[in-house]
Short mmCIF file of all heavy atoms in Angstrom, two decimals:
data_model
loop_
_atom_site.label_atom_id
_atom_site.label_comp_id
_atom_site.label_asym_id
_atom_site.label_seq_id
_atom_site.Cartn_x
_atom_site.Cartn_y
_atom_site.Cartn_z
N MET E 81 0.84 -1.18 0.00
CA MET E 81 0.00 0.00 0.00
C MET E 81 0.89 1.25 0.00
O MET E 81 1.84 1.34 0.77
CB MET E 81 -0.90 -0.03 1.24
CG MET E 81 -2.12 0.84 1.11
SD MET E 81 -3.18 0.77 2.57
CE MET E 81 -3.89 -0.84 2.40
N SER E 82 0.56 2.18 -0.87
CA SER E 82 1.40 3.37 -0.98
C SER E 82 1.12 4.35 0.15
O SER E 82 0.04 4.35 0.74
CB SER E 82 1.16 4.05 -2.32
OG SER E 82 -0.18 4.51 -2.39
N ARG E 83 2.09 5.19 0.42
CA ARG E 83 1.92 6.24 1.43
C ARG E 83 1.25 7.43 0.77
O ARG E 83 1.90 8.38 0.34
CB ARG E 83 3.26 6.65 2.01
CG ARG E 83 3.88 5.60 2.89
CD ARG E 83 5.11 6.16 3.57
NE ARG E 83 5.76 5.16 4.37
CZ ARG E 83 5.55 5.00 5.68
NH1 ARG E 83 4.71 5.78 6.30
NH2 ARG E 83 6.17 4.07 6.34
N LYS E 84 -0.09 7.35 0.66
CA LYS E 84 -0.87 8.36 -0.04
C LYS E 84 -2.19 8.55 0.69
O LYS E 84 -2.82 7.58 1.09
CB LYS E 84 -1.11 7.90 -1.47
CG LYS E 84 -1.89 8.85 -2.31
CD LYS E 84 -2.07 8.30 -3.70
CE LYS E 84 -3.00 9.16 -4.50
NZ LYS E 84 -3.29 8.55 -5.81
N CYS E 85 -2.59 9.81 0.85
CA CYS E 85 -3.86 10.12 1.48
C CYS E 85 -4.99 9.74 0.52
O CYS E 85 -4.95 10.10 -0.66
CB CYS E 85 -3.91 11.60 1.83
SG CYS E 85 -5.50 12.13 2.53
N ASP E 86 -6.00 9.01 1.02
CA ASP E 86 -7.10 8.58 0.17
C ASP E 86 -8.02 9.71 -0.26
O ASP E 86 -8.69 9.61 -1.28
CB ASP E 86 -7.93 7.51 0.89
CG ASP E 86 -7.18 6.20 1.02
OD1 ASP E 86 -6.32 5.93 0.16
OD2 ASP E 86 -7.47 5.44 1.96
N ILE E 87 -8.04 10.81 0.48
CA ILE E 87 -8.94 11.91 0.14
C ILE E 87 -8.22 13.01 -0.64
O ILE E 87 -8.64 13.38 -1.74
CB ILE E 87 -9.58 12.50 1.42
CG1 ILE E 87 -10.47 11.44 2.07
CG2 ILE E 87 -10.38 13.76 1.11
CD1 ILE E 87 -11.08 11.85 3.37
N SER E 88 -7.13 13.53 -0.11
CA SER E 88 -6.45 14.65 -0.76
C SER E 88 -5.39 14.22 -1.76
O SER E 88 -4.96 15.02 -2.59
CB SER E 88 -5.81 15.57 0.29
OG SER E 88 -4.77 14.88 0.96
N GLY E 89 -4.92 12.98 -1.68
CA GLY E 89 -3.91 12.50 -2.60
C GLY E 89 -2.50 12.94 -2.25
O GLY E 89 -1.58 12.80 -3.06
N THR E 90 -2.30 13.45 -1.03
CA THR E 90 -0.99 13.91 -0.60
C THR E 90 -0.02 12.74 -0.51
O THR E 90 -0.36 11.69 0.04
CB THR E 90 -1.09 14.59 0.78
OG1 THR E 90 -2.08 15.60 0.73
CG2 THR E 90 0.23 15.21 1.18
N ARG E 91 1.18 12.89 -1.05
CA ARG E 91 2.20 11.84 -1.03
C ARG E 91 3.42 12.33 -0.25
O ARG E 91 3.48 13.48 0.15
CB ARG E 91 2.63 11.48 -2.44
CG ARG E 91 1.56 10.80 -3.24
CD ARG E 91 2.03 10.54 -4.65
NE ARG E 91 1.02 9.84 -5.40
CZ ARG E 91 1.14 8.57 -5.79
NH1 ARG E 91 2.23 7.90 -5.52
NH2 ARG E 91 0.17 7.99 -6.45
N SER E 92 4.39 11.42 -0.08
CA SER E 92 5.61 11.80 0.63
C SER E 92 6.45 12.73 -0.25
O SER E 92 6.40 12.66 -1.48
CB SER E 92 6.40 10.57 1.03
OG SER E 92 6.70 9.80 -0.11
N LEU E 93 7.22 13.60 0.39
CA LEU E 93 8.10 14.54 -0.31
C LEU E 93 9.54 14.08 -0.15
O LEU E 93 9.89 13.41 0.81
CB LEU E 93 7.94 15.94 0.29
CG LEU E 93 6.58 16.59 0.14
CD1 LEU E 93 6.54 17.88 0.97
CD2 LEU E 93 6.27 16.87 -1.29
N SER E 94 10.38 14.45 -1.11
CA SER E 94 11.79 14.10 -1.02
C SER E 94 12.64 15.35 -1.14
O SER E 94 12.21 16.36 -1.69
CB SER E 94 12.16 13.10 -2.10
OG SER E 94 11.97 13.67 -3.37
N GLY E 95 13.86 15.26 -0.62
CA GLY E 95 14.77 16.39 -0.66
C GLY E 95 16.13 15.98 -0.15
O GLY E 95 16.46 14.79 -0.13
N ASN E 96 16.91 16.95 0.25
CA ASN E 96 18.26 16.68 0.73
C ASN E 96 18.35 16.84 2.24
O ASN E 96 17.75 17.75 2.81
CB ASN E 96 19.27 17.64 0.09
CG ASN E 96 19.56 17.29 -1.33
OD1 ASN E 96 19.59 16.12 -1.69
ND2 ASN E 96 19.77 18.30 -2.15
N LYS E 97 19.12 15.95 2.87
CA LYS E 97 19.50 16.11 4.27
C LYS E 97 20.86 16.79 4.24
O LYS E 97 21.75 16.37 3.50
CB LYS E 97 19.58 14.74 4.94
CG LYS E 97 19.99 14.78 6.39
CD LYS E 97 19.81 13.45 7.06
CE LYS E 97 20.58 12.35 6.38
NZ LYS E 97 20.53 11.07 7.11
N ARG E 98 21.03 17.87 4.98
CA ARG E 98 22.29 18.63 4.95
C ARG E 98 23.01 18.50 6.28
O ARG E 98 22.45 18.78 7.34
CB ARG E 98 22.01 20.11 4.69
CG ARG E 98 21.50 20.42 3.31
CD ARG E 98 22.58 20.21 2.30
NE ARG E 98 22.13 20.59 0.97
CZ ARG E 98 22.94 20.83 -0.04
NH1 ARG E 98 24.24 20.72 0.13
NH2 ARG E 98 22.47 21.15 -1.20
N SER E 99 24.27 18.10 6.23
CA SER E 99 25.09 18.02 7.44
C SER E 99 25.68 19.40 7.74
O SER E 99 25.49 20.36 7.00
CB SER E 99 26.21 17.00 7.24
OG SER E 99 27.13 17.48 6.28
N HIS E 100 26.41 19.48 8.83
CA HIS E 100 27.06 20.75 9.19
C HIS E 100 28.06 21.19 8.13
O HIS E 100 28.24 22.37 7.88
CB HIS E 100 27.76 20.59 10.55
CG HIS E 100 28.36 21.86 11.05
ND1 HIS E 100 27.61 22.93 11.46
CD2 HIS E 100 29.66 22.23 11.20
CE1 HIS E 100 28.42 23.92 11.84
NE2 HIS E 100 29.67 23.51 11.69
N ALA E 101 28.68 20.22 7.44
CA ALA E 101 29.63 20.52 6.37
C ALA E 101 28.93 20.72 5.01
O ALA E 101 29.60 20.80 3.99
CB ALA E 101 30.65 19.40 6.26
N MET E 102 27.59 20.80 5.04
CA MET E 102 26.76 21.01 3.85
C MET E 102 26.84 19.85 2.85
O MET E 102 26.63 20.03 1.65
CB MET E 102 27.09 22.34 3.16
CG MET E 102 26.69 23.56 3.96
SD MET E 102 24.92 23.62 4.29
CE MET E 102 24.30 24.08 2.69
N ASN E 103 27.17 18.64 3.33
CA ASN E 103 27.11 17.47 2.47
C ASN E 103 25.64 17.10 2.27
O ASN E 103 24.86 17.13 3.21
CB ASN E 103 27.84 16.28 3.11
CG ASN E 103 29.31 16.54 3.26
OD1 ASN E 103 29.91 17.26 2.47
ND2 ASN E 103 29.90 15.96 4.30
N ALA E 104 25.29 16.75 1.04
CA ALA E 104 23.91 16.44 0.71
C ALA E 104 23.71 14.94 0.57
O ALA E 104 24.47 14.27 -0.12
CB ALA E 104 23.50 17.13 -0.58
N SER E 105 22.70 14.42 1.23
CA SER E 105 22.27 13.04 1.01
C SER E 105 20.75 13.05 0.96
O SER E 105 20.10 13.86 1.63
CB SER E 105 22.79 12.12 2.11
OG SER E 105 22.36 12.55 3.37
N ARG E 106 20.18 12.19 0.17
CA ARG E 106 18.74 12.20 -0.07
C ARG E 106 17.98 11.73 1.17
O ARG E 106 18.42 10.84 1.89
CB ARG E 106 18.40 11.31 -1.26
CG ARG E 106 19.03 11.76 -2.56
CD ARG E 106 18.66 13.16 -2.96
NE ARG E 106 17.31 13.22 -3.50
CZ ARG E 106 16.73 14.33 -3.93
NH1 ARG E 106 17.38 15.47 -3.89
NH2 ARG E 106 15.51 14.31 -4.39
N ARG E 107 16.83 12.34 1.39
CA ARG E 107 15.95 11.93 2.48
C ARG E 107 14.51 12.07 2.04
O ARG E 107 14.23 12.58 0.97
CB ARG E 107 16.22 12.73 3.74
CG ARG E 107 15.89 14.20 3.62
CD ARG E 107 15.61 14.83 4.95
NE ARG E 107 14.39 14.29 5.52
CZ ARG E 107 13.89 14.67 6.68
NH1 ARG E 107 14.50 15.56 7.40
NH2 ARG E 107 12.77 14.16 7.12
N LYS E 108 13.61 11.61 2.89
CA LYS E 108 12.20 11.58 2.54
C LYS E 108 11.36 12.04 3.73
O LYS E 108 11.65 11.69 4.87
CB LYS E 108 11.85 10.13 2.20
CG LYS E 108 10.61 9.91 1.41
CD LYS E 108 10.61 8.46 1.00
CE LYS E 108 9.35 8.10 0.27
NZ LYS E 108 9.31 6.66 -0.01
N TRP E 109 10.34 12.85 3.46
CA TRP E 109 9.38 13.27 4.46
C TRP E 109 8.10 12.51 4.21
O TRP E 109 7.40 12.76 3.21
CB TRP E 109 9.10 14.77 4.39
CG TRP E 109 10.20 15.62 4.89
CD1 TRP E 109 10.37 16.08 6.17
CD2 TRP E 109 11.28 16.17 4.14
NE1 TRP E 109 11.50 16.85 6.25
CE2 TRP E 109 12.08 16.92 5.01
CE3 TRP E 109 11.67 16.08 2.80
CZ2 TRP E 109 13.22 17.59 4.61
CZ3 TRP E 109 12.81 16.74 2.40
CH2 TRP E 109 13.56 17.48 3.30
N ASN E 110 7.75 11.58 5.11
CA ASN E 110 6.55 10.77 4.93
C ASN E 110 5.31 11.52 5.41
O ASN E 110 5.39 12.41 6.26
CB ASN E 110 6.67 9.45 5.68
CG ASN E 110 7.61 8.50 5.00
OD1 ASN E 110 7.66 8.44 3.77
ND2 ASN E 110 8.38 7.76 5.78
N VAL E 111 4.17 11.16 4.86
CA VAL E 111 2.89 11.75 5.23
C VAL E 111 2.42 11.11 6.53
O VAL E 111 2.59 9.91 6.72
CB VAL E 111 1.85 11.50 4.11
CG1 VAL E 111 0.54 12.17 4.44
CG2 VAL E 111 2.37 11.99 2.78
N ASN E 112 1.84 11.92 7.41
CA ASN E 112 1.32 11.43 8.68
C ASN E 112 -0.07 10.84 8.43
O ASN E 112 -1.09 11.52 8.53
CB ASN E 112 1.26 12.58 9.69
CG ASN E 112 0.84 12.14 11.05
OD1 ASN E 112 0.65 10.95 11.30
ND2 ASN E 112 0.65 13.10 11.94
N LEU E 113 -0.13 9.54 8.07
CA LEU E 113 -1.40 8.90 7.73
C LEU E 113 -2.05 8.29 8.97
O LEU E 113 -1.38 7.68 9.80
CB LEU E 113 -1.18 7.81 6.68
CG LEU E 113 -0.76 8.29 5.31
CD1 LEU E 113 -0.51 7.10 4.40
CD2 LEU E 113 -1.80 9.20 4.69
N GLN E 114 -3.37 8.45 9.07
CA GLN E 114 -4.15 7.90 10.15
C GLN E 114 -5.28 7.07 9.56
O GLN E 114 -5.85 7.45 8.53
CB GLN E 114 -4.77 9.03 11.00
CG GLN E 114 -3.78 10.05 11.50
CD GLN E 114 -2.84 9.49 12.54
OE1 GLN E 114 -3.25 8.67 13.36
NE2 GLN E 114 -1.60 9.91 12.51
N LYS E 115 -5.60 5.94 10.19
CA LYS E 115 -6.75 5.15 9.75
C LYS E 115 -8.00 5.71 10.39
O LYS E 115 -8.08 5.85 11.61
CB LYS E 115 -6.58 3.68 10.15
CG LYS E 115 -5.68 2.91 9.25
CD LYS E 115 -5.73 1.44 9.59
CE LYS E 115 -4.82 0.67 8.68
NZ LYS E 115 -4.81 -0.77 8.99
N VAL E 116 -9.00 6.04 9.53
CA VAL E 116 -10.23 6.67 10.01
C VAL E 116 -11.41 5.94 9.40
O VAL E 116 -11.38 5.57 8.22
CB VAL E 116 -10.27 8.15 9.60
CG1 VAL E 116 -11.54 8.81 10.09
CG2 VAL E 116 -9.07 8.89 10.11
N ARG E 117 -12.45 5.73 10.20
CA ARG E 117 -13.68 5.14 9.68
C ARG E 117 -14.65 6.27 9.37
O ARG E 117 -15.04 7.03 10.25
CB ARG E 117 -14.27 4.18 10.69
CG ARG E 117 -13.36 2.98 10.91
CD ARG E 117 -13.85 2.08 11.99
NE ARG E 117 -15.12 1.48 11.57
CZ ARG E 117 -15.83 0.65 12.32
NH1 ARG E 117 -15.41 0.33 13.51
NH2 ARG E 117 -16.94 0.15 11.87
N ILE E 118 -15.04 6.37 8.09
CA ILE E 118 -15.87 7.47 7.61
C ILE E 118 -17.08 6.89 6.89
O ILE E 118 -16.97 5.89 6.17
CB ILE E 118 -15.09 8.38 6.64
CG1 ILE E 118 -13.85 8.95 7.32
CG2 ILE E 118 -15.94 9.51 6.12
CD1 ILE E 118 -12.95 9.75 6.41
N VAL E 119 -18.24 7.54 7.04
CA VAL E 119 -19.44 7.14 6.31
C VAL E 119 -19.39 7.79 4.94
O VAL E 119 -19.39 9.02 4.81
CB VAL E 119 -20.72 7.56 7.06
CG1 VAL E 119 -21.95 7.20 6.25
CG2 VAL E 119 -20.76 6.90 8.42
N VAL E 120 -19.31 6.96 3.88
CA VAL E 120 -19.27 7.45 2.50
C VAL E 120 -20.46 6.86 1.77
O VAL E 120 -20.57 5.64 1.63
CB VAL E 120 -17.95 7.03 1.80
CG1 VAL E 120 -17.92 7.54 0.38
CG2 VAL E 120 -16.75 7.53 2.58
N TYR E 121 -21.36 7.72 1.30
CA TYR E 121 -22.58 7.30 0.59
C TYR E 121 -23.37 6.26 1.39
O TYR E 121 -23.86 5.28 0.86
CB TYR E 121 -22.26 6.76 -0.80
CG TYR E 121 -21.62 7.78 -1.71
CD1 TYR E 121 -20.34 7.59 -2.19
CD2 TYR E 121 -22.29 8.95 -2.05
CE1 TYR E 121 -19.74 8.53 -3.02
CE2 TYR E 121 -21.71 9.90 -2.87
CZ TYR E 121 -20.44 9.67 -3.37
OH TYR E 121 -19.86 10.61 -4.19
N GLY E 122 -23.47 6.47 2.70
CA GLY E 122 -24.29 5.62 3.54
C GLY E 122 -23.62 4.35 4.05
O GLY E 122 -24.23 3.62 4.82
N GLU E 123 -22.41 4.05 3.65
CA GLU E 123 -21.72 2.86 4.15
C GLU E 123 -20.41 3.25 4.82
O GLU E 123 -19.77 4.21 4.44
CB GLU E 123 -21.51 1.83 3.06
CG GLU E 123 -20.43 2.13 2.06
CD GLU E 123 -20.30 1.02 1.02
OE1 GLU E 123 -21.16 0.95 0.13
OE2 GLU E 123 -19.34 0.24 1.12
N LEU E 124 -20.03 2.47 5.84
CA LEU E 124 -18.85 2.75 6.65
C LEU E 124 -17.61 2.23 5.94
O LEU E 124 -17.56 1.06 5.56
CB LEU E 124 -19.00 2.10 8.01
CG LEU E 124 -18.12 2.59 9.14
CD1 LEU E 124 -18.40 4.05 9.42
CD2 LEU E 124 -18.35 1.77 10.38
N LYS E 125 -16.62 3.10 5.74
CA LYS E 125 -15.37 2.70 5.09
C LYS E 125 -14.20 3.11 5.95
O LYS E 125 -14.24 4.12 6.65
CB LYS E 125 -15.24 3.36 3.72
CG LYS E 125 -16.19 2.85 2.70
CD LYS E 125 -15.78 3.30 1.33
CE LYS E 125 -16.60 2.59 0.28
NZ LYS E 125 -16.15 2.86 -1.05
N THR E 126 -13.12 2.33 5.90
CA THR E 126 -11.87 2.67 6.57
C THR E 126 -10.94 3.26 5.54
O THR E 126 -10.62 2.62 4.54
CB THR E 126 -11.24 1.43 7.22
OG1 THR E 126 -12.16 0.86 8.13
CG2 THR E 126 -9.97 1.80 7.95
N LEU E 127 -10.52 4.51 5.76
CA LEU E 127 -9.64 5.21 4.83
C LEU E 127 -8.35 5.60 5.54
O LEU E 127 -8.33 5.77 6.76
CB LEU E 127 -10.31 6.47 4.29
CG LEU E 127 -11.60 6.29 3.52
CD1 LEU E 127 -12.18 7.66 3.16
CD2 LEU E 127 -11.37 5.48 2.27
N ARG E 128 -7.28 5.72 4.77
CA ARG E 128 -6.01 6.25 5.29
C ARG E 128 -5.94 7.71 4.90
O ARG E 128 -5.80 8.05 3.73
CB ARG E 128 -4.84 5.47 4.72
CG ARG E 128 -4.84 4.02 5.18
CD ARG E 128 -3.74 3.25 4.56
NE ARG E 128 -2.48 3.60 5.18
CZ ARG E 128 -1.29 3.43 4.60
NH1 ARG E 128 -1.22 2.95 3.40
NH2 ARG E 128 -0.19 3.76 5.24
N VAL E 129 -6.05 8.58 5.90
CA VAL E 129 -6.16 10.02 5.68
C VAL E 129 -5.00 10.72 6.37
O VAL E 129 -4.60 10.34 7.47
CB VAL E 129 -7.52 10.53 6.25
CG1 VAL E 129 -7.68 12.01 6.04
CG2 VAL E 129 -8.68 9.79 5.61
N SER E 130 -4.46 11.75 5.73
CA SER E 130 -3.38 12.51 6.35
C SER E 130 -3.94 13.31 7.53
O SER E 130 -5.13 13.65 7.57
CB SER E 130 -2.73 13.46 5.34
OG SER E 130 -3.62 14.46 4.94
N ALA E 131 -3.09 13.62 8.49
CA ALA E 131 -3.51 14.31 9.70
C ALA E 131 -4.05 15.70 9.37
O ALA E 131 -5.01 16.16 9.99
CB ALA E 131 -2.35 14.41 10.68
N ARG E 132 -3.48 16.37 8.39
CA ARG E 132 -3.94 17.70 8.02
C ARG E 132 -5.34 17.65 7.40
O ARG E 132 -6.19 18.48 7.69
CB ARG E 132 -2.95 18.34 7.04
CG ARG E 132 -3.37 19.74 6.63
CD ARG E 132 -2.30 20.40 5.81
NE ARG E 132 -1.17 20.73 6.66
CZ ARG E 132 -0.12 21.44 6.26
NH1 ARG E 132 -0.06 21.86 5.01
NH2 ARG E 132 0.85 21.71 7.08
N THR E 133 -5.58 16.65 6.55
CA THR E 133 -6.91 16.48 5.95
C THR E 133 -7.93 16.13 7.02
O THR E 133 -9.07 16.62 6.98
CB THR E 133 -6.87 15.38 4.88
OG1 THR E 133 -5.88 15.71 3.91
CG2 THR E 133 -8.21 15.23 4.19
N LEU E 134 -7.54 15.29 7.97
CA LEU E 134 -8.43 14.91 9.06
C LEU E 134 -8.82 16.12 9.89
O LEU E 134 -9.99 16.30 10.26
CB LEU E 134 -7.74 13.86 9.94
CG LEU E 134 -8.53 13.27 11.08
CD1 LEU E 134 -9.79 12.58 10.58
CD2 LEU E 134 -7.67 12.30 11.85
N LYS E 135 -7.87 17.00 10.16
CA LYS E 135 -8.14 18.23 10.91
C LYS E 135 -9.12 19.12 10.16
O LYS E 135 -10.04 19.70 10.74
CB LYS E 135 -6.82 18.97 11.15
CG LYS E 135 -6.92 20.21 11.98
CD LYS E 135 -5.54 20.81 12.18
CE LYS E 135 -5.61 22.11 12.94
NZ LYS E 135 -4.29 22.73 13.11
N THR E 136 -8.94 19.22 8.84
CA THR E 136 -9.83 20.03 8.01
C THR E 136 -11.24 19.46 8.01
O THR E 136 -12.23 20.20 8.12
CB THR E 136 -9.30 20.11 6.57
OG1 THR E 136 -7.98 20.64 6.59
CG2 THR E 136 -10.17 20.98 5.70
N LEU E 137 -11.37 18.14 7.89
CA LEU E 137 -12.69 17.50 7.88
C LEU E 137 -13.40 17.70 9.21
O LEU E 137 -14.61 17.93 9.24
CB LEU E 137 -12.55 16.01 7.58
CG LEU E 137 -12.13 15.65 6.16
CD1 LEU E 137 -11.88 14.16 6.05
CD2 LEU E 137 -13.17 16.09 5.16
N LYS E 138 -12.66 17.62 10.31
CA LYS E 138 -13.25 17.84 11.62
C LYS E 138 -13.73 19.29 11.78
O LYS E 138 -14.80 19.55 12.33
CB LYS E 138 -12.28 17.50 12.74
CG LYS E 138 -12.08 16.02 12.94
CD LYS E 138 -11.12 15.75 14.08
CE LYS E 138 -10.94 14.27 14.29
NZ LYS E 138 -10.01 13.97 15.39
N ARG E 139 -12.93 20.24 11.27
CA ARG E 139 -13.28 21.65 11.38
C ARG E 139 -14.54 21.97 10.56
O ARG E 139 -15.36 22.78 10.97
CB ARG E 139 -12.10 22.51 10.91
CG ARG E 139 -12.30 23.99 11.19
CD ARG E 139 -11.09 24.82 10.82
NE ARG E 139 -10.84 24.78 9.39
CZ ARG E 139 -9.74 24.35 8.80
NH1 ARG E 139 -8.74 23.89 9.53
NH2 ARG E 139 -9.62 24.36 7.49
N LYS E 140 -14.68 21.33 9.41
CA LYS E 140 -15.83 21.60 8.54
C LYS E 140 -17.06 20.79 8.94
O LYS E 140 -18.12 20.93 8.33
CB LYS E 140 -15.47 21.31 7.09
CG LYS E 140 -14.44 22.27 6.57
CD LYS E 140 -14.29 22.18 5.08
CE LYS E 140 -13.27 23.20 4.65
NZ LYS E 140 -13.61 23.87 3.45
N GLY E 141 -16.93 19.91 9.94
CA GLY E 141 -18.07 19.15 10.44
C GLY E 141 -18.37 17.90 9.64
O GLY E 141 -19.46 17.35 9.75
N GLN E 142 -17.45 17.43 8.83
CA GLN E 142 -17.67 16.22 8.05
C GLN E 142 -17.48 14.96 8.89
O GLN E 142 -18.06 13.94 8.60
CB GLN E 142 -16.69 16.18 6.86
CG GLN E 142 -16.79 17.38 5.94
CD GLN E 142 -18.09 17.42 5.16
OE1 GLN E 142 -18.68 16.40 4.89
NE2 GLN E 142 -18.52 18.60 4.83
N ILE E 143 -16.64 15.06 9.93
CA ILE E 143 -16.37 13.93 10.82
C ILE E 143 -16.61 14.40 12.25
O ILE E 143 -16.18 15.47 12.65
CB ILE E 143 -14.89 13.45 10.69
CG1 ILE E 143 -14.62 12.98 9.29
CG2 ILE E 143 -14.60 12.37 11.69
CD1 ILE E 143 -13.18 12.59 9.06
N SER E 144 -17.31 13.56 13.01
CA SER E 144 -17.50 13.90 14.43
C SER E 144 -16.79 12.85 15.27
O SER E 144 -17.27 11.74 15.42
CB SER E 144 -19.00 13.93 14.75
OG SER E 144 -19.59 12.69 14.45
N GLN E 145 -15.61 13.20 15.77
CA GLN E 145 -14.84 12.29 16.62
C GLN E 145 -14.27 13.05 17.78
O GLN E 145 -13.93 14.16 17.74
CB GLN E 145 -13.69 11.64 15.85
CG GLN E 145 -14.17 10.52 14.98
CD GLN E 145 -13.00 9.82 14.29
OE1 GLN E 145 -11.91 10.38 14.19
NE2 GLN E 145 -13.24 8.63 13.81
#
């Protein structure tokens, strides 16, 4: 299963890790995925949602937890 938000489609980001001597090595920032049970079209589904998307859904009243 990929590290991807089921609602927003957010994926992990990549970039450079920099040491004190400014040496570059590749690194990855993973998405903070949470398993959430959401009612979609009248049926209960388990989705992997990023924490930021979950916060937005709670603020807009789409999820009550």
